[in-house]
mmCIF file of all heavy atoms in Angstrom:
data_model
loop_
_atom_site.group_PDB
_atom_site.id
_atom_site.type_symbol
_atom_site.label_atom_id
_atom_site.label_comp_id
_atom_site.label_asym_id
_atom_site.label_seq_id
_atom_site.Cartn_x
_atom_site.Cartn_y
_atom_site.Cartn_z
ATOM 1 N N VAL A 1 55.332 26.190 141.104
ATOM 2 C CA VAL A 1 56.548 25.383 140.944
ATOM 3 C C VAL A 1 56.728 24.982 139.487
ATOM 4 O O VAL A 1 57.836 25.069 138.918
ATOM 5 C CB VAL A 1 56.470 24.134 141.852
ATOM 6 C CG1 VAL A 1 57.706 23.266 141.641
ATOM 7 C CG2 VAL A 1 56.344 24.545 143.304
ATOM 8 N N VAL A 2 55.650 24.534 138.836
ATOM 9 C CA VAL A 2 55.724 24.138 137.427
ATOM 10 C C VAL A 2 56.098 25.334 136.556
ATOM 11 O O VAL A 2 56.909 25.225 135.625
ATOM 12 C CB VAL A 2 54.382 23.537 136.977
ATOM 13 C CG1 VAL A 2 54.397 23.257 135.473
ATOM 14 C CG2 VAL A 2 54.084 22.249 137.745
ATOM 15 N N ALA A 3 55.511 26.498 136.853
ATOM 16 C CA ALA A 3 55.826 27.698 136.079
ATOM 17 C C ALA A 3 57.298 28.089 136.229
ATOM 18 O O ALA A 3 57.960 28.470 135.254
ATOM 19 C CB ALA A 3 54.922 28.849 136.505
ATOM 20 N N ASP A 4 57.820 27.985 137.442
ATOM 21 C CA ASP A 4 59.233 28.311 137.664
ATOM 22 C C ASP A 4 60.142 27.349 136.909
ATOM 23 O O ASP A 4 61.145 27.764 136.306
ATOM 24 C CB ASP A 4 59.552 28.273 139.160
ATOM 25 C CG ASP A 4 58.853 29.402 139.924
ATOM 26 O OD1 ASP A 4 58.449 30.381 139.273
ATOM 27 O OD2 ASP A 4 58.703 29.281 141.156
ATOM 28 N N GLU A 5 59.815 26.055 136.946
ATOM 29 C CA GLU A 5 60.619 25.067 136.236
ATOM 30 C C GLU A 5 60.582 25.318 134.726
ATOM 31 O O GLU A 5 61.603 25.178 134.032
ATOM 32 C CB GLU A 5 60.124 23.661 136.551
ATOM 33 C CG GLU A 5 60.366 23.237 138.002
ATOM 34 C CD GLU A 5 59.815 21.854 138.276
ATOM 35 O OE1 GLU A 5 59.110 21.318 137.395
ATOM 36 O OE2 GLU A 5 60.086 21.315 139.370
ATOM 37 N N ARG A 6 59.418 25.691 134.216
ATOM 38 C CA ARG A 6 59.296 25.962 132.785
ATOM 39 C C ARG A 6 60.131 27.181 132.386
ATOM 40 O O ARG A 6 60.835 27.162 131.364
ATOM 41 C CB ARG A 6 57.830 26.185 132.424
ATOM 42 C CG ARG A 6 57.578 26.393 130.941
ATOM 43 C CD ARG A 6 56.083 26.479 130.672
ATOM 44 N NE ARG A 6 55.830 26.615 129.246
ATOM 45 C CZ ARG A 6 55.815 27.768 128.589
ATOM 46 N NH1 ARG A 6 56.072 28.898 129.256
ATOM 47 N NH2 ARG A 6 55.567 27.811 127.291
ATOM 48 N N ARG A 7 60.063 28.243 133.178
ATOM 49 C CA ARG A 7 60.868 29.433 132.885
ATOM 50 C C ARG A 7 62.354 29.121 132.940
ATOM 51 O O ARG A 7 63.137 29.593 132.109
ATOM 52 C CB ARG A 7 60.508 30.555 133.873
ATOM 53 C CG ARG A 7 59.185 31.257 133.565
ATOM 54 C CD ARG A 7 59.073 32.538 134.370
ATOM 55 N NE ARG A 7 59.043 32.264 135.803
ATOM 56 C CZ ARG A 7 57.942 32.076 136.498
ATOM 57 N NH1 ARG A 7 56.753 32.120 135.885
ATOM 58 N NH2 ARG A 7 57.988 31.847 137.797
ATOM 59 N N GLU A 8 62.758 28.314 133.929
ATOM 60 C CA GLU A 8 64.169 27.959 134.043
ATOM 61 C C GLU A 8 64.632 27.154 132.835
ATOM 62 O O GLU A 8 65.725 27.378 132.298
ATOM 63 C CB GLU A 8 64.388 27.150 135.321
ATOM 64 C CG GLU A 8 65.849 26.743 135.546
ATOM 65 C CD GLU A 8 66.028 25.902 136.810
ATOM 66 O OE1 GLU A 8 65.023 25.698 137.529
ATOM 67 O OE2 GLU A 8 67.153 25.456 137.055
ATOM 68 N N LEU A 9 63.773 26.236 132.371
ATOM 69 C CA LEU A 9 64.129 25.426 131.204
ATOM 70 C C LEU A 9 64.233 26.294 129.954
ATOM 71 O O LEU A 9 65.160 26.123 129.143
ATOM 72 C CB LEU A 9 63.077 24.329 131.000
ATOM 73 C CG LEU A 9 63.311 23.362 129.829
ATOM 74 C CD1 LEU A 9 64.640 22.649 129.992
ATOM 75 C CD2 LEU A 9 62.177 22.359 129.733
ATOM 76 N N ILE A 10 63.310 27.244 129.797
ATOM 77 C CA ILE A 10 63.363 28.137 128.643
ATOM 78 C C ILE A 10 64.631 28.988 128.677
ATOM 79 O O ILE A 10 65.305 29.187 127.653
ATOM 80 C CB ILE A 10 62.104 29.024 128.600
ATOM 81 C CG1 ILE A 10 60.861 28.171 128.308
ATOM 82 C CG2 ILE A 10 62.255 30.132 127.556
ATOM 83 C CD1 ILE A 10 59.570 28.946 128.359
ATOM 84 N N ASP A 11 64.974 29.484 129.854
ATOM 85 C CA ASP A 11 66.200 30.293 129.984
ATOM 86 C C ASP A 11 67.438 29.471 129.618
ATOM 87 O O ASP A 11 68.363 29.980 128.956
ATOM 88 C CB ASP A 11 66.322 30.825 131.411
ATOM 89 C CG ASP A 11 65.237 31.843 131.740
ATOM 90 O OD1 ASP A 11 64.645 32.396 130.797
ATOM 91 O OD2 ASP A 11 64.977 32.074 132.943
ATOM 92 N N ARG A 12 67.459 28.218 130.039
ATOM 93 C CA ARG A 12 68.607 27.363 129.719
ATOM 94 C C ARG A 12 68.692 27.105 128.220
ATOM 95 O O ARG A 12 69.792 27.091 127.638
ATOM 96 C CB ARG A 12 68.497 26.051 130.484
ATOM 97 C CG ARG A 12 68.686 26.182 131.994
ATOM 98 C CD ARG A 12 68.373 24.884 132.710
ATOM 99 N NE ARG A 12 69.222 23.798 132.236
ATOM 100 C CZ ARG A 12 69.078 22.529 132.631
ATOM 101 N NH1 ARG A 12 68.116 22.213 133.491
ATOM 102 N NH2 ARG A 12 69.884 21.608 132.169
ATOM 103 N N ILE A 13 67.543 26.917 127.570
ATOM 104 C CA ILE A 13 67.539 26.683 126.122
ATOM 105 C C ILE A 13 68.029 27.918 125.386
ATOM 106 O O ILE A 13 68.854 27.825 124.449
ATOM 107 C CB ILE A 13 66.126 26.286 125.646
ATOM 108 C CG1 ILE A 13 65.735 24.913 126.216
ATOM 109 C CG2 ILE A 13 66.047 26.281 124.128
ATOM 110 C CD1 ILE A 13 64.315 24.508 125.924
ATOM 111 N N VAL A 14 67.541 29.089 125.787
ATOM 112 C CA VAL A 14 67.965 30.330 125.139
ATOM 113 C C VAL A 14 69.469 30.551 125.321
ATOM 114 O O VAL A 14 70.178 30.945 124.386
ATOM 115 C CB VAL A 14 67.163 31.521 125.699
ATOM 116 C CG1 VAL A 14 67.720 32.841 125.196
ATOM 117 C CG2 VAL A 14 65.693 31.394 125.318
ATOM 118 N N ALA A 15 69.966 30.285 126.531
ATOM 119 C CA ALA A 15 71.396 30.456 126.791
ATOM 120 C C ALA A 15 72.225 29.476 125.961
ATOM 121 O O ALA A 15 73.282 29.837 125.416
ATOM 122 C CB ALA A 15 71.682 30.272 128.280
ATOM 123 N N ALA A 16 71.751 28.236 125.846
ATOM 124 C CA ALA A 16 72.489 27.240 125.057
ATOM 125 C C ALA A 16 72.511 27.619 123.581
ATOM 126 O O ALA A 16 73.536 27.450 122.901
ATOM 127 C CB ALA A 16 71.862 25.859 125.243
ATOM 128 N N GLU A 17 71.395 28.141 123.062
ATOM 129 C CA GLU A 17 71.361 28.553 121.663
ATOM 130 C C GLU A 17 72.299 29.733 121.422
ATOM 131 O O GLU A 17 72.985 29.793 120.387
ATOM 132 C CB GLU A 17 69.930 28.916 121.266
ATOM 133 C CG GLU A 17 68.982 27.712 121.200
ATOM 134 C CD GLU A 17 67.576 28.125 120.853
ATOM 135 O OE1 GLU A 17 67.278 29.349 120.930
ATOM 136 O OE2 GLU A 17 66.757 27.239 120.517
ATOM 137 N N ALA A 18 72.328 30.673 122.358
ATOM 138 C CA ALA A 18 73.241 31.819 122.217
ATOM 139 C C ALA A 18 74.694 31.352 122.233
ATOM 140 O O ALA A 18 75.526 31.824 121.437
ATOM 141 C CB ALA A 18 72.983 32.829 123.326
ATOM 142 N N GLU A 19 75.015 30.414 123.121
ATOM 143 C CA GLU A 19 76.379 29.891 123.177
ATOM 144 C C GLU A 19 76.731 29.152 121.894
ATOM 145 O O GLU A 19 77.858 29.256 121.389
ATOM 146 C CB GLU A 19 76.519 28.957 124.376
ATOM 147 C CG GLU A 19 77.918 28.406 124.569
ATOM 148 C CD GLU A 19 78.017 27.485 125.769
ATOM 149 O OE1 GLU A 19 76.983 27.262 126.437
ATOM 150 O OE2 GLU A 19 79.127 26.991 126.041
ATOM 151 N N GLN A 20 75.756 28.408 121.351
ATOM 152 C CA GLN A 20 76.012 27.700 120.097
ATOM 153 C C GLN A 20 76.289 28.672 118.960
ATOM 154 O O GLN A 20 77.182 28.439 118.136
ATOM 155 C CB GLN A 20 74.816 26.815 119.757
ATOM 156 C CG GLN A 20 75.011 25.976 118.499
ATOM 157 C CD GLN A 20 73.815 25.106 118.196
ATOM 158 O OE1 GLN A 20 72.768 25.248 118.809
ATOM 159 N NE2 GLN A 20 73.951 24.205 117.255
ATOM 160 N N ASP A 21 75.546 29.775 118.908
ATOM 161 C CA ASP A 21 75.778 30.778 117.863
ATOM 162 C C ASP A 21 77.175 31.391 117.994
ATOM 163 O O ASP A 21 77.868 31.614 116.985
ATOM 164 C CB ASP A 21 74.712 31.873 117.945
ATOM 165 C CG ASP A 21 73.323 31.352 117.583
ATOM 166 O OD1 ASP A 21 73.246 30.311 116.915
ATOM 167 O OD2 ASP A 21 72.324 31.986 117.991
ATOM 168 N N GLN A 22 77.593 31.651 119.218
ATOM 169 C CA GLN A 22 78.923 32.214 119.430
ATOM 170 C C GLN A 22 80.012 31.242 118.996
ATOM 171 O O GLN A 22 80.999 31.630 118.346
ATOM 172 C CB GLN A 22 79.101 32.591 120.900
ATOM 173 C CG GLN A 22 78.215 33.734 121.369
ATOM 174 C CD GLN A 22 78.362 34.016 122.842
ATOM 175 O OE1 GLN A 22 79.102 33.344 123.550
ATOM 176 N NE2 GLN A 22 77.641 35.027 123.321
ATOM 177 N N LEU A 23 79.832 29.971 119.353
ATOM 178 C CA LEU A 23 80.817 28.967 118.960
ATOM 179 C C LEU A 23 80.859 28.784 117.445
ATOM 180 O O LEU A 23 81.941 28.588 116.862
ATOM 181 C CB LEU A 23 80.495 27.637 119.642
ATOM 182 C CG LEU A 23 80.646 27.608 121.171
ATOM 183 C CD1 LEU A 23 80.176 26.267 121.724
ATOM 184 C CD2 LEU A 23 82.101 27.853 121.567
ATOM 185 N N GLN A 24 79.679 28.853 116.797
ATOM 186 C CA GLN A 24 79.652 28.724 115.353
ATOM 187 C C GLN A 24 80.375 29.882 114.687
ATOM 188 O O GLN A 24 81.126 29.710 113.714
ATOM 189 C CB GLN A 24 78.192 28.664 114.868
ATOM 190 C CG GLN A 24 78.043 28.544 113.360
ATOM 191 C CD GLN A 24 78.722 27.296 112.829
ATOM 192 O OE1 GLN A 24 78.614 26.224 113.428
ATOM 193 N NE2 GLN A 24 79.421 27.427 111.716
ATOM 194 N N SER A 25 80.165 31.095 115.212
ATOM 195 C CA SER A 25 80.856 32.261 114.668
ATOM 196 C C SER A 25 82.366 32.135 114.838
ATOM 197 O O SER A 25 83.146 32.442 113.926
ATOM 198 C CB SER A 25 80.343 33.531 115.349
ATOM 199 O OG SER A 25 81.033 34.669 114.896
ATOM 200 N N ARG A 26 82.769 31.667 116.012
ATOM 201 C CA ARG A 26 84.199 31.474 116.265
ATOM 202 C C ARG A 26 84.786 30.394 115.354
ATOM 203 O O ARG A 26 85.913 30.536 114.844
ATOM 204 C CB ARG A 26 84.414 31.090 117.731
ATOM 205 C CG ARG A 26 85.851 30.844 118.127
ATOM 206 C CD ARG A 26 86.721 32.051 117.848
ATOM 207 N NE ARG A 26 88.095 31.842 118.282
ATOM 208 C CZ ARG A 26 89.124 32.584 117.897
ATOM 209 N NH1 ARG A 26 88.930 33.607 117.057
ATOM 210 N NH2 ARG A 26 90.344 32.334 118.330
ATOM 211 N N ALA A 27 84.016 29.330 115.105
ATOM 212 C CA ALA A 27 84.497 28.264 114.223
ATOM 213 C C ALA A 27 84.675 28.774 112.801
ATOM 214 O O ALA A 27 85.634 28.401 112.103
ATOM 215 C CB ALA A 27 83.515 27.094 114.245
#
C-alpha cells in the first residue's frame, strides 16, 4: 500500500511538472 501511494505521488509530481513546463512555454 505504501509503495503504491508513493508511486502515485511521484506520478502526480511528474505530471504537474510537465504541465507547468507546457504553461510556461505557452506564456
Side-chain angles (χ1 to χ4, degrees):
V1 178
V2 174
D4 292 341
E5 292 178 351
R6 183 175 183 274
R7 283 193 297 269
E8 181 182 357
L9 181 59
I10 293 175
D11 293 341
R12 291 172 59 185
I13 293 174
V14 172
E17 291 178 346
E19 183 180 1
Q20 183 180 10
D21 293 339
Q22 293 177 358
L23 293 175
Q24 179 59 42
S25 177
R26 179 57 177 164

